Amino acid sequence: MLWADAKKARRIKTNMWKHNIKFHQLSYREMEHLRQFRRDVSKCLFLGIISIPPFANYLVFLLMYLFPRQLLIKHFWTPKQQIDFLDIYHALRKQSHPEILCYLEKIIPLISDAGLRWHMTELCTKIQRGTHPAVPDILALRGCFSNHPLGMKQLPAFQMKALSRAMLLTPYLPSLLLRHRLKTHTTVIHQLDKALAKLGIAQLTAQEVKSACYLRGLNSTHVAEERCRTWLGEWLQISCSLKETELSLLLHNVVLLSTNYIGTRR
């Protein structure tokens, strides 16, 4: 399966090189294939490195048996493991949600515009009460996330660490690298969103819909397919309305849009 993925990734990269195509110009499925393949390769490279010493391959097999979630790619997970492991990963990223929301509440006095202050207060109150925010509630705050205090360049280190955990990225990096990685990761999702909007959610299979939702913060393993499609539609409305300078809102949207969605509170 991995070999087939590698051949497909090579065909896509070759086509990009021949026709001078950039990543954001690919189709949604091609972009998503390359994104996922890069993540799989990183795991395989780690296993390859630790198996270099003589007789280390026996240790590698033992480690893969003991730590399948950390060391094996999804192709080698059983159906039960897929559900269990995705639940574990979501529980880990959900631990950062209160910290992220708490910071949003703390910076309300720092927002200079009175209208934006009111909208942020209303949004935080709704989420704290367990209400799922509407798309206009979130888009009304675009101005807060393009400059001070919530622009990508203005985020403090502790908020970037919390956001990294919410995105299942390592938080153990210097602030400069954290900011760069978050921006790069969010930009890729934004590009995927534009390609997906062009393709249409209706064209996705049930598994593609659930994978897309999970990547964007929703624990879709326990949400019905139709509800996943509805949620993904809301996400795309927000994402496709944002400019590059407002991507900090898309980053926080991983928490804002997923926390109280029906069927996700377990």
Side-chain angles (χ1 to χ4, degrees):
M1 185 66 74
L2 183 63
W3 177 247
D5 286 348
K7 290 175 67 176
K8 183 176 180 180
R10 183 180 179 183
R11 285 199 301 270
I12 295 171
K13 295 292 288 185
T14 300
N15 189 55
M16 290 173 66
W17 180 77
K18 282 184 177 179
H19 301 284
N20 195 26
I21 299 173
K22 304 298 181 183
F23 178 79
H24 69 273
Q25 296 173 314
L26 295 172
S27 69
Y28 171 76
R29 288 191 172 95
E30 289 174 332
M31 293 170 68
E32 177 58 22
H33 183 84
L34 288 182
R35 186 199 67 81
Q36 186 59 51
F37 180 71
R38 288 167 185 164
R39 291 179 65 87
D40 292 343
V41 166
S42 64
K43 280 191 175 184
C44 294
L45 283 177
F46 174 74
L47 288 175
I49 291 172
I50 63 176
S51 64
I52 290 176
F55 306 108
N57 54 319
Y58 298 106
L59 175 62
V60 170
F61 286 120
L62 177 62
L63 290 175
M64 287 192 296
Y65 176 77
L66 294 175
F67 305 102
R69 175 171 63 87
Q70 294 88 345
L71 297 179
L72 294 180
I73 61 177
K74 290 182 181 180
H75 293 314
F76 300 106
W77 293 353
T78 66
K80 184 178 183 304
Q81 283 178 329
Q82 288 191 27
I83 295 174
D84 292 343
F85 293 168
L86 290 178
D87 278 345
I88 291 172
Y89 279 127
H90 184 71
L92 291 172
R93 65 184 179 185
K94 196 173 180 180
Q95 291 175 2
S96 65
H97 288 193
E99 185 178 347
I100 293 169
L101 294 172
C102 182
Y103 178 70
L104 294 182
E105 288 183 315
K106 286 182 179 179
I107 57 86
I108 289 175
L110 302 179
I111 301 173
S112 57
D113 186 275
L116 290 176
R117 274 201 310 273
W118 182 86
H119 281 298
M120 180 65 82
T121 303
E122 284 292 298
L123 180 65
C124 290
T125 301
K126 280 186 177 181
I127 293 176
Q128 293 295 346
R129 289 177 178 173
T131 303
H132 177 65
V135 170
D137 294 336
I138 296 175
L139 285 177
L141 293 167
R142 293 165 62 171
C144 295
F145 291 86
S146 57
N147 293 297
H148 180 79
L150 291 168
M152 193 72 78
K153 294 181 179 179
Q154 286 77 34
L155 293 175
F158 62 84
Q159 183 73 346
M160 289 192 294
K161 289 179 183 292
L163 288 165
S164 294
R165 293 195 298 272
M167 300 291 281
L168 295 177
L169 301 173
T170 178
Y172 306 111
L173 292 172
S175 295
L176 188 65
L177 291 179
L178 277 178
R179 198 181 312 277
H180 174 74
R181 192 174 190 190
L182 282 172
K183 183 177 180 181
T184 300
H185 193 74
T186 309
T187 299
V188 168
I189 292 178
H190 193 223
Q191 292 170 344
L192 280 167
D193 290 341
K194 290 181 177 179
L196 178 53
K198 185 177 181 180
L199 174 66
I201 297 175
Q203 301 302 314
L204 298 184
T205 65
Q207 184 55 48
E208 287 175 326
V209 168
K210 286 183 173 285
S211 296
C213 289
Y214 194 90
L215 172 66
R216 292 157 178 80
L218 184 73
N219 189 12
S220 52
T221 55
H222 303 286
V223 181
E225 180 190 340
E226 285 308 309
R227 290 199 179 278
C228 285
R229 290 184 185 274
T230 299
W231 186 88
L232 189 56
E234 292 179 1
W235 175 282
L236 290 184
Q237 285 183 57
I238 295 170
S239 179
C240 294
S241 300
L242 299 178
K243 302 174 183 176
E244 187 177 348
T245 55
E246 300 166 335
L247 288 186
S248 178
L249 176 54
L250 191 65
L251 179 58
H252 285 80
N253 202 42
V254 170
V255 178
L256 298 175
L257 200 64
S258 68
T259 300
N260 295 324
Y261 193 62
I262 299 171
T264 61
R265 284 167 284 178
R266 291 174 57 84

